[in-house]
Amino acid sequence: MNALLTDAPLLPDTGEPGFGLYVHWPFCAAKCPYCDFNSHVRHQAVDQARFTSAFLAEMETMRSLTGPRTVTSIFMGGGTPSLMEPRTVEAILDGIARFWHVPAGIEVTMEANPSSVEADRFRGYRAAGVNRVSLGVQALNDKDLRFLGRLHDVADALKAIRLAREIFPRMSFDLIYARPNQTVEDWERELNEAVSYAVDHLSLYQLTIEEGTAFFGLHKAGKLIVPDGDQSALLYEATQEITAGFGMPAYEVSNHARPGAESRHNLTYWRYGDYAGIGPGAHGRISRDGHKIATSTERNPEQWLALVEAQGHGMVDQDLLGRSEQADELLLMGLRLREGVDLSRYHALSDRYPDPDREKVLLEHGFIEPLGNSRLRCTPKGMLILDAVVADLSV
C-alpha cells in the first residue's frame, strides 16, 4: 500500500460500524507517569525487521479468522508508533493490503509524539500511506508537560503541529486537562490556544489516576491531588462550550471534530464494529459464523515475538461473546457517541430493551434523550455521569 490509495478523497462516512485494523507498536522512549497503556521502554535498539516479520505473520493468522473483509480504517497506536522507521510502516501497510481489501480513500492514522517528530520521517510515513496523524501533545505549557513526564516542550509541540498540517491531509492532537491546581480560566486560555492550531479534530481527556501507574502511588499517598467532581464538571462544561463555539463540537465524550472529520477508526469501536488487533497487547472483536470473538495478545513484546515465531500468532485469548455480552458492549460503546445507540440493534442482540422504569427515571432527570424512532443518547448532563447511566440501563 502507498500514498496513491490514501491520496484519494476520504470516503464518506456511511454510518455503518465498518471493519478496522489496529496495529500496536509497544515501545516508548520513556514511560509517562499517568499512562496505563501497554508501553515499554527498551534501552537497546529494537529489531524492527524482526518485529515487522512477526506483525505480518500474525496478520496472516488474523486473516484466517476474519475471512475476506474490506478494511474501512487502519490505526497504528502505541506506545509510540513514530519511533518506527518509515520502511517499517510501509511494510505493515503493504501487509494489510495483501491480506485484506483496502479501498482507496480510507483513513490511515498513526500516533506520534512531538519528541520523535522529524520532517523527513513524517514525509516517509506519508509516502508509505499514512493520511492522518494523531499527536500526543497533552499540554501547552512547559511546567505541566514536565509534570506529565513528556519529553517534548511547547516549542517541539508547535513544530510537530505545523509539520503535520503541512504533510498530512488530516491531523488531530491530544490534550489532558483536569490537572492539579488547574482553574477553569487556565484551561479556557489553553484550550482557546489549542483550537487555533487544530485543523479538524481534537481529543481532550480528563486526567484519570489509573492503578499501576506512577501517579497512582502518589495519589494514594496524598501527594497528588486532582480536581474534585464539581471542579471537573466545570472544566468539562467549559470544554464543550469552547469547542462548539469553534465549530468542533463533541461527537464522543472526549473527542471533538468539525462535521465529517470524526475519527473513522474510533467510530468503528464506538459503533461496535469489527476490528482485528495486531501486535503485543492488542485487542480485537471479530464476527464469525453469527458469533463475536474477543481476541487479545500477549502484552510483553519479547514474549509476544517468541509466540508469533513459534506458532504464527501471539494470541492468548479468543473468547466467544454471548449475545447478552455483545449487547452490553454495544450499549457501553454507543452511549459515548453524540449519535447515540440503536436500540433495535440492542434488542436484536439481547432480545430485550433497557428496563423501561430505569429509562423513564433517566429521561425525567435529563440524563438521556430519544433520537428518532429507535435511538437513545446521553445528554451533555448525562455524559458527566456516563458510567452510571450505562450501568443503570444495562441492568
Side-chain angles (χ1 to χ4, degrees):
M1 198 174 103
N2 57 46
L4 293 176
L5 285 175
T6 51
D7 274 339
L10 185 69
L11 291 172
D13 176 18
T14 64
E16 296 299 315
F19 172 65
L21 260 293
Y22 175 78
V23 179
H24 191 79
W25 183 257
F27 302 109
C28 279
K31 184 75 172 179
C32 296
Y34 58 85
C35 177
D36 70 337
F37 295 156
N38 188 42
S39 60
H40 303 261
V41 177
R42 296 292 181 264
H43 299 294
Q44 303 294 325
V46 173
D47 187 340
Q48 295 200 23
R50 189 178 172 196
F51 271 88
T52 298
S53 296
F55 282 129
L56 298 178
E58 190 162 78
M59 282 181 206
E60 185 171 7
T61 299
M62 285 294 181
R63 170 60 173 77
S64 69
L65 282 178
T66 67
R69 298 289 299 268
T70 295
V71 177
T72 55
S73 66
I74 298 168
F75 195 101
M76 285 175 279
T80 306
S82 53
L83 293 175
M84 285 190 281
E85 297 293 336
R87 64 177 177 269
T88 301
V89 174
E90 183 177 14
I92 289 170
L93 294 178
D94 285 346
I96 292 171
R98 187 161 73 247
F99 292 116
W100 294 275
H101 174 55
V102 179
I106 70 161
E107 175 190 275
V108 181
T109 301
M110 180 176 171
E111 291 182 337
N113 278 343
S115 56
S116 60
V117 165
E118 299 170 6
D120 287 346
R121 192 180 284 258
F122 260 23
R123 291 191 179 95
Y125 299 147
R126 180 72 191 101
V130 175
N131 60 12
R132 181 177 182 270
V133 68
S134 178
L135 293 169
V137 171
Q138 312 310 6
L140 286 175
N141 70 75
D142 288 339
K143 178 183 176 183
D144 281 0
L145 284 171
R146 290 191 294 271
F147 162 73
L148 292 169
R150 307 301 285 168
L151 298 180
H152 64 273
D153 58 18
V154 173
D156 294 328
L158 297 184
K159 175 187 173 184
I161 290 170
R162 285 193 297 270
L163 280 172
R165 292 181 67 160
E166 173 190 332
I167 294 170
F168 297 96
R170 303 176 72 211
M171 185 269 287
S172 177
F173 61 89
D174 300 356
L175 293 177
I176 294 173
Y177 67 103
R179 306 189 292 261
N181 302 313
Q182 187 177 43
T183 67
V184 173
E185 293 74 23
D186 291 337
W187 175 232
E188 287 175 339
R189 281 192 296 272
E190 188 171 356
L191 184 53
N192 274 295
E193 181 183 0
V195 174
S196 73
Y197 304 137
V199 176
D200 54 19
H201 191 285
L202 283 171
S203 297
L204 306 170
Y205 303 105
Q206 291 202 13
L207 177 63
T208 54
I209 306 300
E210 304 290 351
E211 191 168 356
T213 66
F215 275 180
F216 182 82
L218 291 172
H219 184 260
K220 190 174 181 180
K223 297 179 181 179
L224 192 160
I225 308 298
V226 295
D228 62 19
D230 290 341
Q231 178 71 358
S232 293
L234 291 173
L235 291 163
Y236 178 82
E237 289 163 1
T239 303
Q240 310 315 304
E241 182 178 344
I242 290 171
T243 53
F246 274 88
M248 298 176 66
Y251 68 96
E252 187 268 347
V253 65
S254 299
N255 285 272
H256 306 254
R258 302 191 192 282
E262 299 85 356
S263 167
R264 300 296 174 77
H265 189 81
N266 286 338
L267 283 174
T268 294
Y269 297 152
W270 298 320
R271 288 171 175 165
Y272 203 49
D274 279 9
Y275 55 98
I278 311 294
H283 293 259
R285 292 290 185 276
I286 298 169
S287 295
R288 182 172 177 175
D289 301 327
H291 301 289
K292 197 99 160 179
I293 303 169
T295 67
S296 61
T297 59
E298 167 59 46
R299 291 173 59 86
N300 178 274
E302 288 76 22
Q303 291 179 24
W304 172 85
L305 186 63
L307 283 173
V308 175
E309 291 176 342
Q311 62 187 23
H313 66 85
M315 283 184 286
V316 291
D317 287 304
Q318 294 184 56
D319 296 327
L320 197 63
L321 298 177
R323 297 177 69 83
S324 180
E325 290 174 291
Q326 293 179 56
D328 286 344
E329 288 191 343
L330 170 69
L331 194 67
L332 173 67
M333 302 304 283
L335 284 176
R336 299 180 64 90
L337 286 170
R338 186 67 183 142
E339 69 185 36
V341 65
D342 185 350
L343 291 181
S344 63
R345 189 178 170 202
Y346 179 84
H347 180 264
L349 280 172
S350 64
D351 201 29
R352 59 184 168 88
Y353 288 102
D355 183 276
D357 293 332
R358 294 176 183 272
E359 187 176 337
K360 181 181 177 182
V361 171
L362 292 170
L363 284 165
E364 288 174 347
H365 283 81
F367 295 128
I368 59 173
E369 61 187 2
L371 190 64
N373 292 327
S374 68
R375 301 190 77 85
L376 191 70
R377 70 180 180 188
C378 277
T379 63
K381 180 180 175 182
M383 286 292 189
L384 288 168
I385 57 164
L386 179 60
D387 290 347
V389 171
V390 171
D392 225 20
L393 287 174
S394 60
V395 171

